[in-house]
Amino acid sequence: MISISLPRLTSRINALARFGALSGGGVTRPCWSPPHEEARAWLLGELRAAGLEAWVDIAGNVFGATGIRALSPEAPIVLTGSHIDTVPEGGILDGALGVLAGLECLQAIGETRTPHARPLVVAAWSDEEGRYGSLFGSRAFCGLLDGARIDEMAAVDGVRLVDAMARAGFDAHRAPEARAPAGAVNAYVELHIEQGARLEEAGIPIGVVETIVGVRRSRVVFVGQADHAGTTPMDRRRDAFLAAADYALRVREHVVTRGSGVSVTNFGVVHVHPGASNIVPGRAELVHEMRDPDVAVLERLAEECAAMAREVAGRHRVGAEIQLMSATTPAPCSSRVQTATENVCARLGLQYRRLYSAAGHDAQNLASVTDAGMIFIPSQGGRSHRVDEMSDWPAIERGANTLLHTLLALAA
Ligand code: HGY
Ligand code: MN
Ligand code: MN
C-alpha cells in the first residue's frame, strides 16, 4: 500500500512557514500581500518540481494537476486542497496542511505510477480567511461570487480588494470568470486541522466531517457624540463605546442561552472614534460574527441581535446601524466522500469519528458544485488562529495517508 513521505511533507510545511514568519513563531500571511505572493511563487515551483501541471486562475487560485492543464466536464477531476493565506499571527498548519498534503499525495501517486481513472488536482484557494471577503477564491471557482459587490469589498482596515489584488497583479473585477465549467469536478476532499479539541480529548486520530457551519459577519456601528472626557458631566454623555460594550455583553449572553447550544459569537474587531483618551467616543464600530450549523438559527439570532442593538442604542441615547458583511451557508458534506474516508480508515486501522466543523472552509463552497468532504486531524490543545497552533507529526502523517487513499478511492 503506497504511503506519503513524511520527511518531504515536513520539509515543505516548514518551508512554507518561512513566508510571513514572525520572530516569536507563527505567521502573518494575508492573501495578496508580498509574503503571500512569494509563497504562491514558491508553491508553483514545488508543484512543477513534483511533476504536476501548475497554473493560477484569474481569481488567484493555484492548481497542480496530474496530466491535465485545464478543467473540463469531459474529464471530471477529483480535487483536493485548502489555502496558503493565514490570519494575523496565525499558525503554520491552518490551510497549509491541506495544500501541501495534497501536493504530497499527488507526487507519491505519480512516483509510484499508481493508476487512477480520474485526473487528480490540488488547489490553493485565495483569501480563504476572508481578509477581503470570506472564502473568496473558492466562491469564484464555484460561481458564488457576486461581481456587483467587488468594488465595495474591503478589509476592516479599509484596504480595498481591487487595490490589494492589483498590487499582486490581478484584476478583481474579472475574478467571477474563474467559475469552473459545470461538471468539471467529480469530488472534493480537504485535509484540515480540527482547530478544536474534540478529537484530541477523545483520543481519536481522524475526524470525518458531516457538516460545516455557516459564518455570519456584520458591521455594527453605534453613533453618539464626541465630547470632552473631563468637563462633560457623566449623565450628559452619549458614549458610543459604552453602547457597543453593553451590546457585546448582551449578545454573548443571548447567543449562549438562546442559540442552538452550539451557536457561537465573537467580536474580534473594535474601532473607537476619534480614539483619544480625553474624548468621549462619538463612534464605535464592531465586527460581529456568529456561527451555527443551521442557517435558520443564524437568521433568527441575527434578527434578535438587530432588535437588541436598537434597544441598547435607545438606552444609551445613541444611534445604531447594522450592515451585513458576509454570510456563508452551512453545508452538509457528501455521504459518498464520508464513506470513502471511513473505508480508508478501516483499511488503515485508524479510529475515526464523524463531527461537524465549527470553522468555515472552502469545502462548503465546493459542496454546492460537487460531492465534497473533509478529513480532520487533532489540534494540540485545540489551539488554532494563534502562533502556537500545532499538530503531532504522526497525526499529520496519518491524516495525509488517509487523504492519499481517499483520493485514490474517489478517482478509481
Ligand atoms: O474562520 C474560520 O472558520 C476559518 O478558519 N477560516
Ligand atoms: Mn483559519
Ligand atoms: Mn483554514
Side-chain angles (χ1 to χ4, degrees):
M1 195 187 289
I2 73 166
S3 59
I4 61 109
S5 160
L6 181 62
R8 187 164 61 187
L9 176 54
T10 305
S11 162
R12 286 188 172 129
I13 288 172
N14 290 332
L16 179 54
R18 286 197 281 275
F19 298 97
L22 302 170
S23 54
V27 286
T28 296
R29 193 170 57 233
C31 199
W32 319 115
S33 68
H36 182 275
E37 295 313 299
E38 289 156 22
R40 179 203 303 283
W42 170 84
L43 177 62
L44 281 165
E46 291 295 306
L47 292 166
R48 289 175 179 134
L52 300 174
E53 292 287 348
W55 68 93
V56 184
D57 77 6
I58 203 147
N61 300 311
V62 177
F63 295 94
T66 58
I68 56 165
R69 266 212 57 80
L71 305 188
S72 150
E74 274 73 59
I77 64 172
V78 171
L79 180 60
T80 186
S82 197
H83 56 96
I84 61 169
D85 65 296
T86 76
V87 293
E89 301 182 26
I92 67 168
L93 292 179
D94 177 2
L97 173 67
V99 173
L100 299 179
L103 163 53
E104 174 56 35
C105 290
L106 269 53
Q107 184 165 6
I109 290 167
E111 285 168 343
T112 55
R113 302 192 193 296
T114 304
H116 51 94
R118 297 189 175 99
L120 291 165
V121 180
V122 58
W125 304 111
S126 49
D127 200 12
E128 186 277 347
E129 295 293 358
R131 171 167 159 74
Y132 298 95
S134 65
L135 308 176
F136 177 80
S138 58
R139 261 197 290 165
F141 182 82
C142 298
L144 302 172
L145 186 62
D146 178 358
R149 292 201 54 199
I150 283 177
D151 270 326
E152 70 190 47
M153 290 171 77
V156 289
D157 60 9
V159 176
R160 297 175 67 228
L161 173 67
V162 290
D163 299 329
M165 286 184 73
R167 277 196 292 274
F170 292 87
D171 176 356
H173 297 103
R174 296 194 58 193
E177 296 171 32
R179 179 173 196 162
V185 184
N186 173 269
Y188 176 78
V189 57
E190 177 172 351
L191 176 66
H192 207 285
I193 51 175
E194 180 198 340
Q195 301 179 291
R198 290 167 292 175
L199 290 174
E200 183 181 66
E201 288 172 0
I204 292 184
I206 297 291
V208 178
V209 178
E210 290 180 302
T211 191
I212 303 168
V213 292
V215 182
R216 190 183 175 92
R217 280 188 196 125
S218 299
R219 180 174 281 111
V220 184
V221 182
F222 291 94
V223 180
Q225 180 56 60
D227 247 321
H228 195 295
T231 57
T232 310
M234 292 305 283
D235 63 356
R236 289 192 205 166
R237 298 181 183 202
R238 296 199 299 121
D239 186 329
F241 169 70
L242 280 189
D246 191 4
Y247 173 74
L249 289 170
R250 288 168 187 273
V251 157
R252 186 204 176 279
E253 180 62 21
H254 184 78
V255 167
V256 169
T257 55
R258 297 291 316 283
S260 67
V262 293
S263 309
V264 294
T265 191
N266 190 52
F267 294 91
V269 178
V270 181
H271 290 304
V272 174
H273 183 83
S277 68
N278 56 359
I279 307 175
V280 174
R283 176 187 170 89
E285 184 173 315
L286 303 172
V287 175
H288 176 203
E289 184 181 284
M290 287 190 285
R291 302 175 182 226
D292 195 279
D294 180 342
V295 68
V297 170
L298 275 178
E299 287 170 355
R300 170 177 64 81
L301 289 173
E303 280 174 26
E304 291 164 354
C305 289
M308 288 168 72
R310 289 189 290 273
E311 195 264 328
V312 163
R315 183 160 340 106
H316 291 268
R317 297 181 300 116
V318 300
E321 301 150 20
I322 296 183
Q323 178 202 7
L324 178 64
M325 296 169 71
S326 65
T328 61
T329 309
C333 291
S334 144
S335 52
R336 172 186 165 217
V337 175
Q338 293 180 65
T339 304
T341 306
E342 291 167 342
N343 292 340
V344 165
C345 289
R347 276 172 46 211
L348 297 178
L350 294 175
Q351 253 199 306
Y352 62 85
R353 158 173 293 179
R354 287 198 177 192
L355 72 179
Y356 80 95
S357 173
H361 295 286
D362 294 303
Q364 66 199 102
N365 287 331
L366 274 295
S368 68
V369 298
T370 190
D371 293 339
M374 295 191 75
I375 301 167
F376 277 175
I377 64 166
S379 292
Q380 288 174 351
R383 295 188 296 270
S384 184
H385 281 191
R386 47 190 278 189
V387 294
D388 58 350
E389 165 193 287
M390 200 53 202
S391 297
D392 304 336
W393 291 106
I396 288 171
E397 185 173 31
R398 286 189 290 266
N401 277 321
T402 302
L403 176 68
L404 172 64
H405 292 286
T406 303
L407 287 171
L408 286 171
L410 294 169

